[in-house]
Amino acid sequence: MKPEVVYTKAAPTTGFSTGMESPIAQGVKCGDFVFVSGQGPLDPVTRQVVSADTAEQTRVTLDNVQKVLQAAGTSLQHVVKIGVFLRDMKDFDAFNRVFRDYFKGVQPARTTVEAAAPRAGVNVEIDAIAWIPR
């Protein structure tokens, strides 16, 4: 079984410099699973951070994860594992309030760690593994 790259214009891509094609897939399907690369609070068109507010960043980040999942043929309802990277653990409660809204009735395994931001202004990054129903 060969892995398949998942791509959607509805979610931002990550590149290393202007004009350079991204060497990172938004997601990779392999068998009955999709592995979503870390998504952040970026507008899919401008690739700019949407807000300084952690709750709003969490919403946009989860929307971006959701768009990649949809492109792979699945949804947040089928997520089995989530990795969360917060710039500051003082934002943990604000993050959790938004997270609960997106995962009502679903209990994925989750790891949450405090980590340095991959770029200025980013307070949250999320990756995910989801099952693709057949």
Side-chain angles (χ1 to χ4, degrees):
M1 168 177 332
K2 184 177 176 185
E4 176 186 339
V5 171
V6 175
Y7 170 75
T8 177
K9 289 182 179 180
T13 57
T14 303
F16 291 121
S17 60
T18 303
M20 177 184 267
E21 184 177 337
S22 176
I24 302 167
Q26 290 171 317
V28 175
K29 285 169 61 170
C30 192
D32 292 336
F33 291 90
V34 61
F35 301 81
V36 178
S37 291
Q39 296 293 308
L42 306 181
D43 177 276
V45 176
T46 66
R47 292 175 40 193
Q48 298 301 309
V49 177
V50 296
S51 169
D53 178 68
T54 297
E56 180 61 20
Q57 285 197 16
T58 301
R59 278 189 273 292
V60 170
T61 300
L62 286 169
D63 286 345
N64 288 336
V65 169
Q66 186 168 316
K67 290 170 186 170
V68 176
L69 292 171
Q70 288 170 341
T74 191
S75 69
L76 290 173
Q77 296 301 304
H78 298 290
V79 169
V80 295
K81 175 74 169 86
I82 289 271
V84 178
F85 307 89
L86 292 176
R87 176 188 278 181
D88 192 325
M89 289 307 280
K90 72 177 175 44
D91 293 328
F92 190 67
D93 289 340
F95 168 82
N96 270 331
R97 282 191 292 278
V98 175
F99 185 87
R100 282 187 197 105
D101 289 341
Y102 280 78
F103 287 92
K104 288 183 180 173
V106 182
Q107 292 183 315
R110 187 180 97 183
T111 301
T112 305
V113 297
E114 185 175 59
R119 72 187 260 190
V122 172
N123 297 336
V124 62
E125 183 173 342
I126 299 171
D127 62 22
I129 301 169
W131 170 65
I132 303 168
R134 303 277 175 194

